[in-house]
Amino acid sequence: MMTMTEIEAVKGFIRLCTDGYEMGWHERNGGNLTYRMKDTEVKECRPFFSQAPGDWTELGITASNLSKEYFIATGSGKFMRNVALNPEDSICICELNEKGDAYRIVWGLVNGGRPTSEFPSHLLNHSVKKAATDGAYRVIYHAHTPAVIALSFILPLDARTFSRVLWKSMTECPIIFPQGVGVVPWMVPGGPDIAKASSELMKTYDAIVWAHHGTFCAGPDFDTAFGLMHTVEKSADIYMRILSSGKEILQTITDDDLRKLAKDFHVTLNENFLD
Ligand code: 2HA
Ligand code: ZN
């Protein structure tokens, strides 16, 4: 019989945790990941579910279109670098109740614990993305990306400024995130307020910056969500290197160049962000 860690969805989840740690984005317990499971995956995992699931816990938010869905989630206070070594201790599968306002743990976190402290943000983001993509999006990923965090100290905290800087710091960025990126001002993490602010922006963007904190990315699968995180962070890093060089910027990608890219690669750029 298969084991839990041989199931593709679980394998992909664990791989992303390891990759993110190796990128330097997950100091200590920083960052978190959730995946909205397909019915076929729930079926595969069901033999491993505990006979006596945990109690229902209120979420503080309601995500009615996620009624009775199952999520793989990192655990609150757990370290990304430990996920691959001990998945049963570090991650869990949670089931949502009928109303979409409470969850219970059906597998994992064998030594106790709860899903990520950002579970409300993840679920509201899932809710928005599920509706906007007709169910295609399944991954929400939060990382403490150093260059994006650094940028949030020196750029005005608006989506237009961030999107233009990131689009222009590496040629393929506008193709990867043609909508640009959203920006949430500094807020206390972990609660329903930052969850609501984030999910409002997720209606428009696949990537949002949390000022002085990190980045949230959404995608249909692990590769795309991780790739988006990687691209946004790399572009921010390049911009920081340009500024750190202390040299004058002699040339950059122009708005006309952006339009040419959009045309040749058949993407529609967010017009609000073009001059
Ligand atoms: O510690 O990243 O935002 C987990 C987090 C909270
Ligand atoms: Zn965080």
Side-chain angles (χ1 to χ4, degrees):
M1 186 163 125
M2 261 186 143
T3 63
M4 195 68 166
T5 49
E6 284 166 346
I7 292 170
E8 281 307 313
V10 178
K11 267 206 290 203
F13 187 98
I14 294 172
R15 179 174 172 222
L16 189 150
C17 293
T18 302
D19 287 349
Y21 171 69
E22 286 173 356
M23 295 303 294
W25 301 338
H26 300 296
E27 78 293 340
R28 205 174 180 282
N29 61 317
N32 29 72
L33 174 66
T34 57
Y35 173 74
R36 186 170 60 80
M37 298 172 81
K38 298 178 184 165
D39 291 344
T40 50
E41 293 160 345
V42 175
K43 218 170 178 178
E44 277 182 289
C45 292
R46 201 176 282 283
F48 303 99
F49 289 176
S50 56
Q51 297 305 311
D55 294 330
W56 291 105
T57 304
E58 303 270 328
L59 282 161
I61 52 103
T62 303
S64 12
N65 68 336
L66 302 180
S67 169
K68 294 183 159 177
E69 294 233 37
Y70 288 78
F71 294 85
I72 314 178
T74 48
S76 178
K78 299 296 181 178
F79 295 17
M80 287 284 194
R81 72 186 277 263
N82 291 336
V83 169
L85 293 174
N86 197 357
E88 293 85 354
D89 171 74
S90 302
I91 66 176
C92 60
I93 295 178
C94 292
E95 175 190 7
L96 256 57
N97 67 348
E98 173 111 37
K99 278 176 72 182
D101 65 357
Y103 71 89
R104 65 178 177 182
I105 297 173
V106 298
W107 175 85
L109 288 175
V110 290
N111 298 309
R114 312 177 264 112
T116 165
S117 59
E118 305 294 359
F119 209 33
S121 278
H122 279 253
L123 290 174
L124 281 190
N125 290 342
H126 277 294
S127 171
V128 161
K129 285 303 188 192
K130 183 186 176 190
T133 67
D134 204 14
Y137 274 36
R138 296 188 172 274
V139 180
I140 300 290
Y141 177 33
H142 167 56
H144 293 177
T145 42
V148 166
I149 296 171
L151 270 191
S152 72
F153 289 86
I154 56 176
L155 290 183
L157 294 176
D158 67 80
R160 191 175 200 276
T161 307
F162 266 79
S163 299
R164 289 177 61 79
V165 160
L166 295 173
W167 279 351
K168 288 173 180 238
S169 295
M170 190 168 69
T171 292
E172 298 193 0
C173 286
I175 306 160
I176 312 294
F177 47 98
Q179 277 304 312
V181 299
V183 180
V184 178
W186 189 88
M187 291 177 81
V188 177
D193 291 343
I194 197 165
K196 284 173 194 152
S198 303
S199 63
E200 224 17 74
L201 294 176
M202 277 290 179
K203 291 176 184 166
T204 307
Y205 308 103
D206 282 352
I208 58 180
V209 174
W210 277 11
H212 321 322
H213 184 150
T215 312
F216 257 86
C217 285
D221 51 50
F222 295 116
D223 278 352
T224 314
F226 185 84
L228 178 57
M229 187 71 79
H230 196 179
T231 309
V232 168
E233 171 60 9
K234 184 166 180 183
S235 192
D237 185 50
I238 292 167
Y239 191 68
M240 288 306 298
R241 291 182 196 213
I242 298 167
L243 295 185
S244 310
S245 76
K247 307 269 189 196
E248 187 189 346
I249 296 180
L250 295 182
Q251 57 277 322
T252 182
I253 299 170
T254 66
D255 284 55
D256 267 355
D257 295 337
L258 293 175
R259 288 194 171 88
K260 282 184 213 155
L261 263 181
K263 184 161 175 285
D264 274 25
F265 285 87
H266 311 291
V267 296
T268 308
L269 295 181
N270 190 335
E271 270 296 323
N272 301 327
F273 298 163
L274 292 172
D275 280 343

